[in-house]
Every structure is written in structure tokens, then in C-alpha cells.
Amino acid sequence: MDIVYTIWLRNVKRYLRSKSRMVGSLGMPMFLLLVLGFGLNSVVAIPGMEQGYIGFIMPGIISMSVLFTSVFAGIQIIWDKQFGFLKETLVAPVSRLEIMLGQTFGGATTAVIQGFIILVLSLFMGLDISSISGFGIAVIFMLLIGISFTAFGIAIASRMEDMHGFQLIMNFVIFPIFGLSGALFPIDSLPGWARYLTLLDPLTYGVEGIRYGLLGSSQIDPGISFVVLSGFTILMVILGSYLFRKISV
């Protein structure tokens, strides 16, 4: 566990020392929140949503921030490959599983911090959290999103050498994941085929879990959301560990 902690601490320190990275990661979520939230708040009516459209999309924007930060944590693997740090780590007499878990937890932690910043900013924009326990539920779902998609990013990065190629592939993958998650629109209003695709998207269950925690209501039972997202998280950690162990030094 010392190895896991050391690598986790390295990733967290790198993130906290990179102020430009922290501020830059806020750009897209805040843009969508301000433009879509305030721009459509008086136009779009969500049935049963007392806080209006801006309240509806805030959990989705928080999820997006966690998603993007966690997935692109996989770049750290490619970066370490190119500069030789990963080779030095892999030849050490430690388990590759511990190395992978340290990278995963480190990336997930930075993703949750990023999502937490958006959450705090949302409070100043009028978000009314249902309860303190609901806040804890939202953090749990943020953590599950962070772990699962960090492991997913590591799995992809383990098979790649080019950083730019990784970014292109991730953009191709994560934008549909976010777009189909129900973050910006109610699932119940979708046509049947689109609703089916949305329910196949693992991020959907993270968004609905956060929405339940913050607003007290969701379109999917929170218990189902927790089970599905937990299962996806376990699957991604297993896949990421398997592909990470196959990295050649």
C-alpha cells in the first residue's frame, strides 16, 4: 500500500502545483453552465424541477468536469513513458497492480477535486442542495465516476505511445459519453432508441446519482445507479490492470 500512496501523492501534488491546469479545466464546464444554464433557464421548463433548467444541468456539468479530468489522467502514463519514469517504476520490485492503482486513485482524486470546485461555484450560482447527506451521496458518485474513467483512460493509454493520438481518441469517445448521459436533457423526454442508448451509457448513472444527491430527485432509482456504476468501476479497474501489466519496458 505504500507504493499506491506514493504514486497517488505524486499525482495529487503535480495537480495542486499546476495552477494553470486547475484554472484551465474550469473553462468548458463554466462556459456551458453560464451559457446553457442562464441562457435557457427562462426558456426550458423541466417538469418537477423547482430550481429550473440551471438546477437540472448543474449535476451534469459537475459530472462532465470529473469525466474530462479523470479520462485525461491517462496522459500521465504516456508522459511517463516518453520521459522514462514509467520504465524506472516498472522495473522496480513492486507489483504493477499497485502502480496502476496509485495512478488510478491519484487521477480520480484530482478529478473529484475539480468536480468539487464546480460544485462550490454552483452554490454561489443558486444551487440549493437538498441535504448534507445528499451532498455525501453526490461525492460518492463523483468518486465512482473518477475511479472508473481514470481506469478507462489508463487502459487506453497503456496501449498507446503517442500523446496527441490519445487526445484525439479520447475526444472521440468522451464527447458521445457525455452527450448521451442525460446531463443536459431529461431522459424521459427522449425517443425510445435514444433512451436505450442513454441507459447503456455508464455516465448516465453517475449523473443521475449526483442529481439525486444534490436535488433529491432523479430519473433513475439511485440504488440502481449505484449498483451499475459500481459494477462499471470494478470492470474498468480490472481491464486497466490487465492492460497495464502488459506494458513492455
Side-chain angles (χ1 to χ4, degrees), residues 25-240:
S25 299
L26 298 175
M28 182 60 73
M30 294 306 299
F31 174 79
L32 291 177
L33 190 58
L34 293 173
V35 173
L36 292 181
F38 288 104
L40 299 177
N41 193 51
S42 60
V43 178
V44 179
I46 305 296
M49 183 59 60
E50 297 180 359
Q51 300 190 44
Y53 183 67
I54 188 170
F56 176 82
I57 68 169
M58 277 182 180
I61 300 301
I62 293 169
S63 301
M64 183 189 80
S65 180
V66 177
L67 169 69
F68 279 50
T69 306
S70 58
V71 165
F72 281 101
I75 290 180
Q76 184 67 48
I77 300 296
I78 300 178
W79 184 276
D80 288 345
K81 282 182 184 179
Q82 294 180 349
F83 286 89
F85 177 81
L86 185 62
K87 181 178 180 179
E88 295 177 358
T89 305
L90 293 178
V91 298
V94 296
S95 168
R96 291 196 177 190
L97 175 61
E98 290 181 303
I99 298 173
M100 184 271 177
L101 290 178
Q103 295 281 9
T104 300
F105 293 149
T109 301
T110 60
V112 171
I113 292 173
Q114 200 71 36
F116 188 78
I117 293 174
I118 298 295
L119 175 56
V120 172
L121 293 175
S122 299
L123 297 177
F124 291 99
M125 296 180 186
L127 178 65
D128 185 17
I129 297 178
S130 60
S131 64
I132 298 299
S133 60
F135 179 84
I137 292 173
V139 171
I140 290 173
F141 276 96
M142 288 166 59
L143 187 59
L144 288 174
I145 294 173
I147 293 175
S148 59
F149 284 99
T150 300
F152 174 73
I154 290 175
I156 301 299
S158 297
R159 309 302 298 171
M160 300 189 66
E161 301 292 336
D162 180 43
M163 190 177 301
H164 299 292
F166 175 83
Q167 291 175 326
L168 291 174
I169 291 177
M170 287 297 98
N171 283 329
F172 180 77
V173 172
I174 64 176
F175 277 104
I177 289 176
F178 172 69
L180 291 171
S181 67
L184 305 178
F185 47 79
I187 299 174
D188 296 336
S189 64
L190 296 174
W193 64 270
R195 179 181 171 84
Y196 178 75
L197 291 177
T198 298
L199 294 177
L200 289 177
D201 185 350
L203 185 62
T204 299
Y205 302 92
V207 171
E208 291 303 319
I210 294 175
R211 185 168 286 140
Y212 174 79
L214 297 181
L215 305 179
S217 62
S218 64
Q219 300 169 93
I220 300 176
D221 183 271
I224 295 177
S225 295
F226 179 77
V227 170
V228 173
L229 191 57
S230 297
F232 177 72
T233 300
I234 294 172
L235 178 62
M236 287 299 101
V237 170
I238 293 174
L239 177 63

